[in-house]
Amino acid sequence: MNIVEISQQRYTTKHYDKTKKIPADKIEQLLTVLRNSPSSVNSQPWHFFVIDNETAKNKILPAIAEFNHPRVADSSHTIVFCVKTSLDDAHLVNLLNQEDKDGRLPSVDLKKAQDEGRRYFVKLNSSTPEAQLCWESKQAYIALGQLLFAAAAIGVDSTAVEGYDSAKMDEILGLKQKGLKSIVVATLGYRAENDGNAHRPKSRLPKEQIFTFL
Ligand SMILES: Cc1cc2nc3c(=O)[nH]c(=O)nc-3n(C[C@H](O)[C@H](O)[C@H](O)COP(=O)(O)O)c2cc1C
């Protein structure tokens, strides 16, 4: 499949075949895509909860809007995207040390510049806790987009799920104590035979309405 075909094949799965499980190697690939997702100043402000069993699914279901229950309950895997409530010094040092370990900062000057640059942009985007959360959420949504596209590329169906109660999810997963906040959910699996949405045509506004070539 070329990228246009992948983008056309990907669709929002409403009903999954509960009997079908995504093989471990494909899940590993998708988690790697999440890990490799880009983020502003490589801030990687996220944490992902991966749910692949009945107990964990039942645990989070009370936070999922009723109409979305089938997407979670019958999915093979559900991922809760979270971001950090504080991009604190410990996180910034952790990032810098990782970049150093990964060989991206061969000189002391480069390491210092990278640290200063990142701190500058973190500060710029953290005028209020809300502003920081908004900035972090944008990074998490980039990861969501990458996941949905990558899943389609390897024949895995998916659903982005905003229809959930984030305060309830945070409470169920004890996120506040972990310094995290849930942002969005994605479910993964294989479409059920009766998934009507699989056969509905895609609907998008025409090119002329969304692109301006200057
Ligand atoms: C951020 C985001 C949140 C969404 N939340 C839900 C949801 O809670 N439940 C659902 O069934 N679909 C949800 N959708 C699916 C959209 O309705 C869908 O992407 C849109 O109608 C376009 O259809 P397509 O994905 O099949 O091309 C969401 C999509 C995005 C990108």
Side-chain angles (χ1 to χ4, degrees), residues 10-12 14 67-68 71 141 144 159-163 197 202 204:
R10 187 213 55 77
Y11 81 105
T12 292
K14 300 287 182 181
F67 72 95
N68 274 325
R71 337 268 193 257
Y141 270 73
L144 172 69
T159 316
V161 175
E162 270 181 343
N197 213 29
K202 231 182 225 318
R204 293 295 190 266

Side-chain angles (χ1 to χ4, degrees), residues 94-207:
N94 191 25
L95 290 171
L96 194 67
N97 287 341
Q98 188 66 50
E99 286 167 340
D100 202 7
K101 200 170 141 202
D102 290 333
R104 287 187 62 85
L105 306 170
S107 78
V108 174
D109 285 352
L110 216 57
K111 189 169 177 178
K112 187 166 174 281
Q114 172 71 354
D115 190 34
E116 285 173 359
R118 181 158 42 230
R119 283 173 192 270
Y120 172 80
F121 281 104
V122 167
K123 196 170 170 210
L124 195 67
N125 287 287
S126 306
S127 52
T128 62
E130 292 75 24
Q132 188 182 75
L133 187 68
C134 175
W135 185 56
E136 291 184 62
S137 302
K138 290 176 190 169
Q139 321 306 323
Y141 270 73
I142 292 171
L144 172 69
Q146 298 246 326
L147 176 71
L148 301 183
F149 192 83
I154 59 169
V156 170
D157 293 318
S158 65
T159 316
V161 175
E162 270 181 343
Y164 81 101
D165 182 335
S166 65
K168 186 130 205 162
M169 182 70 84
D170 295 1
E171 189 191 314
I172 290 172
L173 296 177
L175 297 184
K176 200 172 177 187
Q177 299 88 295
K178 296 182 171 87
L180 296 170
K181 169 136 205 37
S182 69
I183 295 302
V184 71
V185 174
T187 62
L188 300 165
Y190 296 101
R191 68 191 75 176
E193 265 179 38
N194 68 349
D195 184 19
N197 213 29
H199 309 293
R200 297 173 75 195
K202 231 182 225 318
S203 173
R204 293 295 190 266
L205 295 172
K207 287 192 280 193

